[in-house]
């Protein structure tokens, strides 16, 4: 059993005064309470630390060694407490932020601009994956907060809706037929649109899977074919402006900021959530 900081503090006061009654008065406790605390300390240390005399108490050899080390231990403990209080009151810290790469393309620029202006002491490490995997990482404490699309409801998560999006088929030039259709087959949105296409008027030569929405956008912008894309991704990028193909099936997305309540335990965490909550524009 480890001694408490309080017991060490009491012991050092006794060592300083060499008198239990005087030490109790200075500490603001009763002498029986002080005596009981010293019995617990001796049990923790495993040695007799104090010897009663007619004029007061004196330290044993073990007590003398313990007194020297106790002062050092208390200094270290006070340093730990000061650092913990600083983390709670200062806007600084290190956090892991997750999102799908395509979500990051339109969310992160404003987020980092605001972070630099409002809380430059906060350090961010980025993690990218599918939204469902990012959500799992937040639940498992591997990520602190995240921008995700269509998250599942979980009792340990705080879900804050930031906006919406629409996934559909895009093209760069109207009236083009017999083209390839590009999409990410791992996304539920892509699977939905493909299933609903059916006998629509879009002439597709073949479907080509691609795990990067940015690459799909670039292919569509180059005229290589059609692409199944979120509207925010279609609008975010260089090259030709993409247009939604009329009368195509659509999937409606909801964009959320998610985090665990523990993130709000510090001032830095609260500031970070505030900045992230304003990251989506348009």
């Amino acid at each position: 059993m480890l001694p408490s900081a309080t017991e060490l503090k009491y012991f050092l006061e006794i060592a300083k005064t060499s008198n239990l009654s005087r030490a109790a008065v200075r500490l603001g406790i009763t002498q029986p309470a002080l005596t009981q605390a010293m019995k617990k300390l001796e049990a923790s240390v495993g040695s007799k630390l104090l010897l009663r005399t007619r004029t007061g108490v004196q330290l044993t050899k073990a007590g003398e060694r313990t007194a020297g080390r106790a002062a050092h231990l208390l200094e270290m403990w006070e340093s730990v407490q000061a650092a913990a209080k600083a983390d709670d009151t200062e806007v600084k810290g290190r956090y892991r932020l997750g999102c799908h790469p395509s979500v990051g393309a339109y969310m992160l620029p404003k987020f980092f601009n605001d972070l630099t202006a409002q809380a430059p002491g906060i350090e961010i490490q980025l993690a990218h994956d599918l939204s469902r995997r990012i959500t799992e990482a937040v639940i498992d404490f591997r990520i602190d907060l995240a921008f995700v699309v269509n998250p599942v409801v979980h009792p340990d998560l705080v879900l804050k809706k930031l906006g919406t999006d629409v996934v559909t088929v895009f093209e760069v030039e109207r009236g083009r037929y017999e083209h390839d259709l590009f999409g990410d087959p791992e996304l539920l949105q892509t699977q939905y649109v493909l299933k609903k296409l059916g006998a629509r008027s879009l002439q597709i030569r073949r479907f080509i899977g691609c795990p990067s929405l940015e690459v799909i956008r670039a292919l569509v912008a180059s005229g290589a074919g059609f692409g199944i894309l979120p509207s925010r991704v279609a609008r975010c990028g260089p090259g030709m402006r993409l247009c939604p193909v009329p009368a195509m099936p659509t999937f409606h997305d909801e964009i959320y900021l998610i985090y665990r309540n523990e993130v709000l335990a510090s001032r830095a965490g609260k500031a970070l959530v505030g900045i992230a909550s304003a990251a989506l524009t348009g």
Side-chain angles (χ1 to χ4, degrees), residues 85-121:
K85 289 180 180 178
D87 287 340
D88 287 341
T89 58
E90 296 180 18
V91 186
K92 66 178 183 180
R94 181 177 298 172
Y95 295 85
R96 189 168 171 83
L97 171 67
C99 62
H100 187 281
S102 299
V103 174
Y106 60 78
M107 296 286 287
L108 294 180
K110 183 177 187 304
F111 169 79
F112 275 104
N113 284 334
D114 291 348
L115 184 70
T116 300
Q118 300 176 34

Side-chain angles (χ1 to χ4, degrees), residues 182-194:
F182 300 95
D184 183 352
E186 280 206 67
L187 298 179
L188 297 177
Q189 298 91 325
T190 302
Q191 297 170 19
Y192 175 87
V193 172
L194 285 173

Side-chain angles (χ1 to χ4, degrees), residues 179-228:
H179 266 309
D180 294 330
L181 173 64
F182 300 95
D184 183 352
E186 280 206 67
L187 298 179
L188 297 177
Q189 298 91 325
T190 302
Q191 297 170 19
Y192 175 87
V193 172
L194 285 173
K195 182 178 179 180
K196 294 293 182 178
L197 271 176
R200 304 268 179 159
S201 59
L202 187 67
Q203 300 298 314
I204 301 170
R205 181 167 55 196
R206 60 188 173 182
F207 173 76
I208 299 178
C210 175
S212 170
L213 296 182
E214 283 70 32
V215 171
I216 294 171
R217 189 200 182 283
L219 288 168
V220 177
S222 73
F226 303 103
I228 301 175

Side-chain angles (χ1 to χ4, degrees), residues 131-205:
S131 284
R132 62 178 179 269
R133 293 174 185 159
I134 290 292
T135 301
E136 292 170 359
V138 176
I139 293 172
D140 294 340
F141 293 92
R142 289 177 284 127
I143 290 177
D144 298 301
L145 70 167
F147 299 122
V148 297
V149 177
N150 306 325
V152 296
V153 176
H154 191 279
D156 294 337
L157 291 182
V158 177
L159 277 65
K160 187 171 186 179
K161 186 176 178 180
L162 303 183
T164 60
D165 202 357
V166 175
V167 179
T168 189
V169 181
F170 284 85
E171 61 183 348
V172 73
E173 185 178 330
R174 294 289 172 86
R176 301 179 66 116
Y177 300 99
E178 294 296 331
H179 266 309
D180 294 330
L181 173 64
F182 300 95
D184 183 352
E186 280 206 67
L187 298 179
L188 297 177
Q189 298 91 325
T190 302
Q191 297 170 19
Y192 175 87
V193 172
L194 285 173
K195 182 178 179 180
K196 294 293 182 178
L197 271 176
R200 304 268 179 159
S201 59
L202 187 67
Q203 300 298 314
I204 301 170
R205 181 167 55 196

